[in-house]
Amino acid sequence: MDVESYIFTPLGIEIAHDAYRIASKIPNFFMAMLLIWGGLHLKYSTSKFKHVVAISVILVLSYVWLFLLAANVFHDNFLIESTFPSFLYGTALIYFGMVLREKEISSRGIDSLFPVGLMLLGALNLTYPFTRYLHWFTPVGFLLGALFRIMAAVGAVKFVFIPFPPARIPAVVRKNIPPGAFLCPSREKVSEKFGAIEEIPSLLMVTRESLDSIVEAVHPNALVFWVTRVMEGQIHQSPEIYAISPTKIDILTDLIAKAVESGYRVVYIDAVEYLIVENGFENVLKFLLNVKDHVLVAGGTLILVVDPGTLDRTQRRILEREFPGE
């Protein structure tokens, strides 16, 4: 809302009108580029050639717009001068919020305030060229902008710093379980090699097993990510069970990494086939290798349960090479 002018004027600081017309639009373009670029990386995990071309076109249009402002082509018409910068910034906020909600953040709980706040702020910015000089709307606009920013900030803090409580783990946590990464063809083979892993308090599970069997079998201090499209968010407290969409594999990676850092040392994953169906083998392999690195660095144990009959020969060989086997 061009808040700079409201800060500088009471302080007796004056900015030349022609300079301010240009300077006030630069942050819109700058922030829009960062938001679009960040959204593309969250969605595609990289910047593809077409994305680079699109961003380059937007940068060129931004430069042209600033040049036209400097030449006063719009004859000090605020509505026209602000239309493109506000549209680009507002749209970028909405796009970034949508990508966060789709790829990274649950649509339920406090975390969801992060993308929702960004999207509402983006919508507010879209109205800016039309409401800037509506004096009755100015205090309303400032209030709404502050509320939306607070919403986004609260959600971001919850998402980044408090994904779940630290592990409540006794001193002895992994009896007879060696560190490393292991591939097993069935749940029975896991029991034969490692014993009753359900009794381990530092257990982290990524599973498709039924909720009733999970609650009944695993240690109360265990952490479970139940992979499903039906619901999202925390669905049980002891053990802690969080429902997560299979397509949100990036956020699952981050959550597992944070859990390992907080003390969980035995990671058990039996939902590999389902994740492959939803994300493709290449993306799931990247996920598994990332998790493997986090677990091994922490001196923990990663156990994968994958039916070899569900994989082709190349996929099976890759997994067998990365995970020593039973």
Side-chain angles (χ1 to χ4, degrees):
M1 300 290 288
D2 281 0
V3 70
E4 298 92 344
S5 61
Y6 291 91
I7 296 175
F8 292 150
T9 301
L11 297 176
I13 301 174
E14 294 185 5
I15 303 176
H17 175 69
D18 291 339
Y20 186 74
R21 286 172 43 251
I22 301 172
S24 63
K25 303 301 182 290
I26 293 176
N28 288 6
F29 293 130
F30 180 72
M31 292 300 298
M33 290 301 98
L34 291 179
L35 289 166
I36 293 172
W37 190 18
L40 290 173
H41 269 267
L42 284 178
K43 189 170 185 178
Y44 300 101
S45 299
T46 185
S47 294
K48 299 182 180 180
F49 178 73
K50 62 181 180 180
H51 301 150
V52 176
V53 172
I55 291 176
S56 299
V57 169
I58 296 174
L59 284 172
V60 171
L61 292 176
S62 301
Y63 170 78
V64 171
W65 196 268
L66 292 174
F67 182 83
L68 295 176
L69 285 175
N72 200 20
V73 172
F74 304 121
H75 305 292
D76 273 346
N77 187 314
F78 178 82
L79 178 61
I80 298 177
E81 291 179 349
S82 301
T83 299
F84 180 54
S86 296
F87 172 79
L88 186 61
Y89 181 41
T91 303
L93 281 167
I94 294 173
Y95 171 72
F96 188 70
M98 292 174 63
V99 172
L100 275 178
R101 187 164 184 169
E102 175 188 354
K103 295 292 183 179
E104 293 291 323
I105 295 180
S106 168
S107 59
R108 308 171 73 180
I110 298 177
D111 301 36
S112 65
L113 293 177
F114 187 15
V116 170
L118 291 180
M119 288 187 286
L120 291 174
L121 189 61
L124 182 63
N125 274 274
L126 292 178
T127 70
Y128 175 60
F130 309 95
T131 59
R132 172 66 175 84
Y133 287 108
L134 294 178
H135 297 294
W136 65 268
F137 183 79
T138 298
V140 176
F142 274 118
L143 177 61
L144 291 176
L147 289 176
F148 298 157
R149 285 177 170 86
I150 291 173
M151 286 175 58
V154 170
V157 169
K158 172 62 171 64
F159 170 65
V160 174
F161 297 106
I162 322 173
F164 39 76
R168 304 178 298 275
I169 302 171
V172 179
V173 297
R174 295 186 306 146
K175 185 177 181 181
N176 298 326
I177 295 186
F182 303 91
L183 178 65
C184 296
S186 66
R187 181 70 184 83
E188 290 73 22
K189 290 294 183 180
V190 174
S191 299
E192 291 178 10
K193 182 175 181 62
F194 302 102
I197 63 169
E198 298 90 347
E199 300 175 1
I200 301 172
S202 63
L203 174 67
L204 185 156
M205 296 182 69
V206 180
T207 184
R208 287 276 298 161
E209 293 184 17
S210 69
L211 290 177
D212 291 339
S213 63
I214 294 172
V215 173
E216 181 179 349
V218 304
H219 193 281
N221 289 343
L223 176 63
V224 180
F225 294 112
W226 191 54
V227 185
T228 179
R229 281 185 172 273
V230 175
M231 62 184 73
E232 289 190 46
Q234 187 172 10
I235 54 180
H236 199 271
Q237 287 189 343
S238 183
E240 290 185 88
I241 303 177
Y242 294 83
I244 186 168
S245 170
T247 60
K248 294 186 175 180
I249 199 167
D250 292 330
I251 186 173
L252 182 57
T253 303
D254 293 336
L255 290 173
I256 293 175
K258 289 184 174 69
V260 171
E261 291 174 3
S262 70
Y264 293 93
R265 289 293 181 267
V266 178
V267 178
Y268 169 90
I269 303 177
D270 69 6
V272 177
E273 294 94 333
Y274 183 44
L275 292 174
I276 291 175
V277 170
E278 294 289 345
N279 300 279
F281 180 78
E282 182 178 346
N283 290 327
V284 173
L285 178 62
K286 292 178 182 177
F287 158 72
L288 294 176
L289 294 179
N290 200 335
V291 171
K292 173 188 172 184
D293 291 344
H294 283 289
V295 173
L296 295 186
V297 167
T301 303
L302 174 60
I303 303 171
L304 298 184
V305 178
V306 184
D307 181 357
T310 62
L311 305 173
D312 62 36
R313 181 179 300 178
T314 301
Q315 294 171 345
R316 189 164 58 248
R317 287 179 177 176
I318 292 174
L319 284 184
E320 289 172 348
R321 183 176 67 245
E322 292 293 339
F323 304 90
E326 54 176 311

